[in-house]
Amino acid sequence: MRRLFAVLLAVMFVWTLPAGRALGQAAGVKVIVNGVEVSLPAPAVFSGGQVMAPISGLFEPMGAIAAYYESDRSIVVSNRVRTTLRMRLGDPTLHVNGTARPLPIAPSLQGSQVYVPAQAVFSALGAWTKFEDADRTLYVSSQIRSLTTLVVADALQVRVDATGPVQVETNVLSSPDRLVVDFLHAALRTQERELSINGAGVTRIRTAQFQIKPYVSRMVFDLAQPVEVRVTTSTTSYLVTLEVRPKGQVTSTGGPPAEPRDPSQAAAAKIMGVKFEESGQAGRLVIEGTNTMEYKVREFVYPDRLAIDIQNAVFIPIKQEFAVDGPSIVSIRAAQFTADPPITRVVVILKRKMNYLVSQSDGRLRIEINAYTGRGHIVALDPGHGGRDPGAVGPTGLRESDAVLDIALRVRELLQRDGIRVVMVRETDATVELPDRPRLAREAGATIFVSLHANAHARTAVNGSETYYLTPQSLALAQMIQDELGIVLGIPSRGIKTANFVVLRDSGIPSVLVEAAFISHADDEAHLRDATFRQRIAQAIHKGINRFLAIYPSPVAP
Ligand SMILES: [Zn+2]
């Protein structure tokens, strides 16, 4: 990027400082959000009935992002359902979508960290919180605020609306047939109740707070016949939809009733093996067995994965493990998890959260895995320079305009594989004027804008990657992309910075400018000539964009 346009703002941003993390955990209060212990950059402290905690990374397991703006000493926390919280250092007031309410303690600056009263802020996001003095831990969970059911044609739809991310575990049991759906780390805000359904193979649903510490909210579906269930997680809200329908088209009416069965005496099912059929963004996992299987599907995070536990089942191959390395799935492994009782466990390691549909027939368990895409988003990629303007030129003659075009095309390929729409500001060595770049993106309906550059410095010893942003809504995108670049490139991460670049001004959408490496640095230039390195840059940008799309609301309804 040419520095002519760079006017550094008097805006500074305080972000995660990994140093001191270990110290913080040893000395301070622990914070566990939706089952995940937050890595705090400095210790959280308990004072005046509140846990004061640094904002860095604090809200991410609740699906929210916090930012601090030194220019007006303000703190902004926002989530996927467009709750925006604003606070200011030294002022005990919280603005929730513009409405003021008092805070028990004002946010403050301690060293380089911004501290906020954690329970009050999490509560404003709709979360349940409790500080346990015994283990000096603040527990925070998403809450389920409503359950609505609807029978359409032969399917039962259950919409579960939560105040934050929830993990879903489905458990299909027989004798009698029932489906148990657990929402892990989710507190039930609605009253326990029982609903008559009498449709789609379901006679009734019972809901209850099944467990506390950690919270598990449970729905039990009493079934008139075997069913299959599809679990869909919305990309734009914290809505989980369960679709339950009779298995296949054949009903089990007629014939003698099934023998009641004592599970402890039933012969164990044999699992003959596991295979994966790739299709589209993901594919289908098939578990081959000899009997009808009782199974449980659970979602885990860090890394995202699905675990399928098959009860009373012996895994004949003993162990199976294979890499998929597809756009959405990393690998699959299957093994005997416990011998007594015999449980077979199959784990699918995902590249990110996915939707899934489980069905069973003819001794086979099928798990259809579907991409969880940034539907509704259109990503604009802007390879810098081009045509008359080659940008910076490296010591051995590599042109910035050529290197960044190649990287942008690779990012496009990766995003399109996820089903995300992409617009290119240029896809050839064309001249595009600077003010035209955001305008072209806007006209194409872009919802985020990513400009790609290679840096240059008069001091040729300077190298590494950095990402620029200008508007508050662009900060999280810059941070997420830069985090990924820092992890994979093996060159210094120079962090995120603000600059008044033309392409970052007033676009109205999250807009960032990535300086992937210094083309003026001999080694960085050599890296940029290497297709493997350019692919790594593209993968990091792709991953950062995907992380952002998972949190930032799509402007279009799904
Ligand atoms: Zn440039």
Side-chain angles (χ1 to χ4, degrees):
M1 188 72 194
R2 290 191 179 164
R3 300 285 155 180
L4 293 174
F5 305 104
V7 180
L8 278 172
L9 294 185
V11 174
M12 208 190 79
F13 178 71
V14 179
W15 197 263
T16 312
L17 301 169
R21 193 173 272 183
L23 177 78
Q25 285 176 356
V29 168
K30 277 201 295 196
V31 180
I32 296 184
V33 181
N34 283 334
V36 176
E37 185 177 342
V38 180
S39 282
L40 296 170
V45 293
F46 185 68
S47 116
Q50 281 285 316
V51 171
M52 294 296 287
I55 60 171
S56 300
L58 184 63
F59 302 103
E60 281 204 35
M62 194 46 71
I65 299 172
Y68 172 63
Y69 302 100
E70 176 127 337
S71 54
D72 61 356
R73 298 160 62 82
S74 69
I75 301 136
V76 178
V77 181
S78 55
N79 72 3
R80 196 192 283 178
V81 289
R82 296 174 191 251
T83 302
T84 302
L85 311 179
R86 286 176 202 280
M87 291 158 276
R88 196 163 282 192
L89 291 187
D91 178 0
T93 310
L94 175 66
H95 297 270
V96 183
N97 292 336
T99 306
R101 60 164 91 162
L103 279 174
I105 302 176
S108 60
L109 197 61
Q110 316 273 340
S112 63
Q113 299 297 325
V114 174
Y115 279 69
V116 296
Q119 292 103 307
V121 178
F122 276 114
S123 295
L125 290 170
W128 169 92
T129 71
K130 187 165 196 320
F131 176 69
E132 292 280 357
D133 202 27
D135 53 3
R136 309 285 297 161
T137 301
L138 174 64
Y139 292 92
V140 183
S141 292
S142 299
Q143 292 198 84
I144 291 176
R145 58 179 158 202
S146 73
L147 295 166
T148 51
T149 59
L150 181 68
V151 179
V152 182
D154 60 343
L156 166 65
Q157 258 195 22
V158 183
R159 292 157 64 88
V160 180
D161 193 14
T163 60
V166 294
Q167 280 173 258
V168 185
E169 179 177 309
T170 57
N171 199 342
V172 173
L173 304 170
S174 56
S175 313
D177 283 321
R178 61 207 188 279
L179 165 68
V180 177
V181 180
D182 284 340
F183 298 89
L184 309 183
H185 311 297
L188 199 61
R189 194 192 274 175
T190 61
Q191 285 185 337
E192 303 201 348
R193 58 181 175 164
E194 205 175 298
L195 297 165
S196 256
I197 303 293
N198 294 316
V202 178
T203 50
R204 60 176 183 165
I205 304 175
R206 291 169 282 150
T207 64
Q209 191 72 63
F210 174 66
Q211 189 185 294
I212 294 175
K213 279 182 82 178
Y215 267 115
V216 177
S217 298
R218 171 166 286 187
M219 299 177 74
V220 179
F221 296 68
D222 292 323
L223 304 176
Q225 64 191 99
V227 296
E228 58 183 34
V229 58
R230 181 194 296 270
V231 179
T232 314
T233 307
S234 166
T235 53
T236 56
S237 64
Y238 303 114
L239 188 71
V240 177
T241 305
L242 307 169
E243 199 173 276
V244 180
R245 60 174 74 239
K247 198 172 68 185
Q249 293 306 310
V250 188
T251 61
S252 59
T253 51
E259 285 291 309
R261 191 166 63 85
D262 176 354
S264 66
Q265 292 184 6
K270 288 182 183 139
I271 309 296
M272 309 311 291
V274 170
K275 64 182 187 205
F276 183 74
E277 297 157 1
E278 200 163 354
S279 83
Q281 286 312 298
R284 179 185 309 109
L285 175 69
V286 181
I287 301 171
E288 305 263 3
T290 52
N291 302 16
T292 300
M293 293 171 237
E294 283 195 6
Y295 58 90
K296 187 194 270 197
V297 183
R298 289 190 285 173
E299 296 173 32
F300 294 95
V301 291
Y302 306 107
D304 286 309
R305 60 204 193 276
L306 291 178
I308 302 108
D309 279 352
I310 304 154
Q311 315 296 323
N312 199 30
V314 177
F315 193 61
I316 301 300
I318 300 175
K319 199 172 173 200
Q320 245 187 303
E321 188 160 3
F322 50 92
V324 174
D325 207 20
S328 311
I329 294 168
V330 179
S331 63
I332 293 167
R333 58 175 192 261
Q336 194 72 41
F337 179 59
T338 56
D340 187 20
I343 296 173
T344 293
R345 173 169 287 184
V346 183
V347 179
V348 184
I349 310 284
L350 305 169
K351 289 197 175 162
R352 61 186 177 283
K353 193 173 171 67
M354 303 288 283
N355 294 324
Y356 58 92
L357 168 67
V358 186
S359 64
Q360 182 171 197
S361 61
D362 310 327
R364 281 195 189 90
L365 196 59
R366 291 183 181 78
I367 297 108
E368 300 279 352
I369 302 169
N370 304 307
Y372 173 90
T373 62
R375 247 191 336 247
H377 275 286
I378 300 176
V379 176
L381 297 175
D382 170 37
H385 314 279
R388 288 194 307 270
D389 168 21
V393 178
T396 71
L398 178 65
R399 290 152 35 118
E400 178 185 356
S401 59
D402 295 334
V404 298
L405 176 59
D406 178 83
I407 294 165
L409 292 170
R410 290 169 189 270
V411 178
R412 173 171 76 173
E413 163 77 24
L414 293 167
L415 288 169
Q416 285 180 339
R417 271 205 243 159
D418 295 335
I420 295 170
R421 290 168 65 194
V422 178
V423 296
M424 300 290 289
V425 166
R426 67 177 178 97
E427 48 191 320
T428 59
D429 189 18
T431 303
V432 184
E433 299 304 331
L434 271 179
D436 289 339
R437 293 172 184 256
R439 185 181 58 76
L440 288 168
R442 219 172 23 244
E443 286 170 5
T447 58
I448 76 168
F449 180 89
V450 179
S451 190
L452 295 168
H453 287 258
N455 227 329
H457 201 285
R459 281 176 44 228
T460 56
V462 177
N463 80 326
S465 62
E466 59 195 24
T467 302
Y468 286 86
Y469 71 99
L470 181 59
T471 61
Q473 62 181 343
S474 307
L475 181 147
L477 177 60
Q479 183 69 47
M480 287 173 172
I481 290 176
Q482 186 58 37
D483 281 351
E484 300 299 332
L485 291 169
I487 291 166
V488 303
L489 293 191
I491 59 175
S493 171
R494 300 164 57 87
I496 59 170
K497 298 177 177 180
T498 57
N500 188 15
F501 292 134
V502 170
V503 296
L504 301 183
R505 276 182 220 156
D506 304 326
S507 58
I509 57 173
S511 302
V512 301
L513 187 148
V514 178
E515 299 274 14
F518 275 77
I519 203 166
S520 51
H521 182 274
D523 287 350
D524 275 14
E525 187 205 20
H527 285 319
L528 286 169
R529 282 194 184 278
D530 175 5
T532 310
F533 188 82
R534 293 196 303 269
Q535 183 67 17
R536 290 225 300 274
I537 296 172
Q539 283 165 344
I541 293 170
H542 164 248
K543 201 163 172 191
I545 290 173
N546 262 328
R547 274 179 65 197
F548 183 76
L549 296 186
I551 290 183
Y552 192 80
S554 155
V556 180

